[in-house]
């Protein structure tokens, strides 16, 4: 009799365990993983700007990792965002003799971002560049920069007030590659804060937007229209603009959607992460 009761107790315990396991919440599909070359510490964070699109993601701040670890972490990402920041060392584009008109350099960051961009392009990962990010993409692809717009073009006050002040100026979107077609061939005001810019555009890139006032290149994509690689870079700062603005929110949305496509394709091809 005791044996029968014990077996019933064990049977009930097993049944309870099975039912409990079935009632556990289903594990949700993980969101995107984005690599940011360097995030801000306080206001106007790039991650906040992206998060406004209500697409789930986590991000890796590559600047907080040693070079080898950062490049390894990039392999797990679904997109690379090259953010704004310090001037790029002129030696990377053949003007090492002209450093006096530059700001402070971060050689470690230059190296990390140039290598990260090369790796992302090799992996055909979506890439978005903002301000310095646009300049770095052009340099990495073989282009050059104006060292100082105020002295090289006489138009520095259009793009930056005094030494670090923000300005607003109009940009003309010439082509809508990677932009919504509704923004083609029209002027739009953008937030700006930079004293350098693209001088000679790398042959592999195409200018898709220019400043109305001085014709400075303001946005670039890859010149090869047949490539499946998504690359878009803007000279202005969409994360400092109204998130609902077409030149702000639509850029974030496009990048995130491209990252989702990349993630799905990787999973379908069973590419190891």
């Amino acid at each position: 009799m005791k044996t029968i009761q014990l077996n019933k107790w064990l049977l009930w315990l097993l049944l309870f365990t099975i039912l409990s396991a079935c009632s556990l919440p289903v594990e949700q599909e993980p969101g995107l993983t984005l690599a940011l070359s360097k995030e801000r510490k306080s206001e106007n964070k790039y991650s906040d700007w992206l998060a406004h699109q209500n697409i789930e993601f986590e991000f890796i701040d590559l600047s907080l990792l040693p070079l080898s670890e950062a490049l390894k972490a990039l392999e797990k990402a679904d997109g690379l965002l090259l953010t704004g920041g310090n001037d790029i060392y002129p030696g990377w584009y053949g003007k090492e003799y002209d450093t006096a008109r530059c700001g402070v350099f971060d050689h470690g960051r230059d190296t990390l971002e140039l290598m990260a961009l090369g790796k992302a392009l090799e992996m055909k990962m979506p890439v978005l560049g903002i301000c310095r990010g646009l300049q770095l993409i052009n340099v990495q692809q073989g282009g050059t920069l104006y060292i100082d717009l105020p002295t090289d073009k006489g138009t520095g006050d259009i793009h930056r007030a005094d030494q670090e002040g923000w300005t607003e100026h109009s940009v003309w979107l010439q082509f809508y590659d990677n932009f919504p077609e509704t923004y083609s061939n029209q002027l739009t005001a953008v937030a700006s804060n930079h004293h350098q810019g693209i001088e000679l555009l790398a042959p592999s890139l195409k200018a898709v937007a220019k400043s109305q006032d001085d014709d400075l290149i303001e946005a670039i994509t890859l010149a090869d229209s047949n490539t499946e690689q998504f690359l878009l870079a803007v000279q202005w700062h969409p994360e400092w603009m109204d998130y609902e603005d077409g030149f702000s929110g639509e850029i974030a949305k496009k990048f995130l959607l491209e990252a989702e496509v990349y993630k799905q394709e990787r999973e379908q091809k069973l590419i190891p992460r």
Side-chain angles (χ1 to χ4, degrees):
M1 181 64 71
K2 290 183 179 180
T3 302
I4 295 175
Q5 290 177 342
L6 179 61
N7 288 339
K8 286 183 177 180
W9 184 84
L10 290 173
L11 181 61
W12 278 109
L13 179 62
L14 178 61
L15 183 61
F16 175 78
T17 302
I18 294 173
L19 291 174
S20 298
C22 292
S23 64
L24 290 174
V26 178
E27 184 177 350
Q28 294 184 346
E29 184 72 16
L32 297 172
T33 299
L34 303 176
L36 274 61
S37 61
K38 188 171 185 177
E39 176 61 297
R40 290 194 179 99
K41 295 181 180 180
S42 55
E43 61 180 349
N44 297 97
K45 290 185 176 181
Y46 299 94
S47 55
D48 291 343
W49 168 62
L50 293 172
H52 188 72
Q53 298 303 315
N54 296 317
I55 296 177
E56 182 183 354
F57 71 89
E58 60 181 11
F59 73 91
I60 306 166
D61 187 338
L62 298 181
S63 71
L64 301 179
L65 302 173
L67 178 59
S68 60
E69 292 183 22
L71 295 177
K72 188 68 176 177
L74 181 62
E75 297 176 2
K76 301 178 181 179
D78 303 303
L80 171 64
L81 172 56
L82 297 168
T83 60
N86 296 26
D87 290 347
I88 300 165
Y89 180 61
W92 289 111
Y93 50 96
K95 295 185 180 182
E96 59 274 3
Y97 57 87
D98 194 358
T99 61
R101 296 183 296 152
C102 296
V104 177
F105 304 122
D106 186 339
H107 295 288
R109 182 177 180 182
D110 287 351
T111 301
L112 167 61
E113 293 186 359
L114 288 167
M115 294 184 69
L117 175 58
K119 190 176 185 71
L121 292 174
E122 181 181 335
M123 297 172 65
K124 298 190 182 301
M125 177 186 297
V127 176
L128 176 63
I130 293 177
C131 197
R132 168 191 160 96
L134 169 139
Q135 297 168 13
L136 184 122
I137 290 170
N138 186 53
V139 168
Q140 195 266 356
Q141 291 292 297
T144 65
L145 303 178
Y146 289 112
I147 293 289
D148 185 60
L149 291 173
T151 51
D152 289 343
K153 283 179 70 70
T155 58
D157 57 339
I158 296 172
H159 303 280
R160 185 171 75 177
D162 299 324
Q163 293 298 314
E164 292 294 337
W166 289 86
T167 63
E168 183 178 281
H169 68 87
S170 294
V171 165
W172 177 45
L173 182 61
Q174 299 171 299
F175 304 97
Y176 55 85
D177 297 29
N178 297 322
F179 285 103
E181 184 175 355
T182 53
Y183 295 99
S184 182
N185 293 317
Q186 64 174 275
L187 291 171
T188 302
V190 296
S192 179
N193 191 339
H194 63 101
H195 82 109
Q196 297 189 327
I198 292 178
E199 179 186 36
L200 296 178
L201 183 65
S204 61
L205 303 172
K206 176 173 68 173
V208 294
K210 292 188 176 182
S211 171
Q212 177 192 22
D213 299 299
D214 63 354
D215 216 33
L216 185 74
I217 293 174
E218 291 279 346
I220 56 174
T221 61
L222 291 173
D224 183 2
S225 59
N226 296 318
T227 182
E228 297 180 359
Q229 168 78 52
F230 171 81
L231 182 145
L232 173 64
V234 297
Q235 182 61 78
W236 65 87
H237 283 268
E239 82 286 358
W240 274 81
M241 298 166 61
D242 183 346
Y243 291 170
E244 304 301 332
D245 184 280
F247 263 28
S248 173
E250 292 294 340
I251 294 171
K253 182 188 298 183
K254 178 66 175 176
F255 175 58
L256 291 168
L257 292 177
E258 290 289 341
E260 285 188 329
V261 171
Y262 179 78
K263 174 183 172 65
Q264 293 169 5
E265 290 179 347
R266 281 168 60 110
E267 291 174 346
Q268 291 171 1
K269 295 176 182 177
L270 299 178
I271 300 177
R273 298 180 54 131

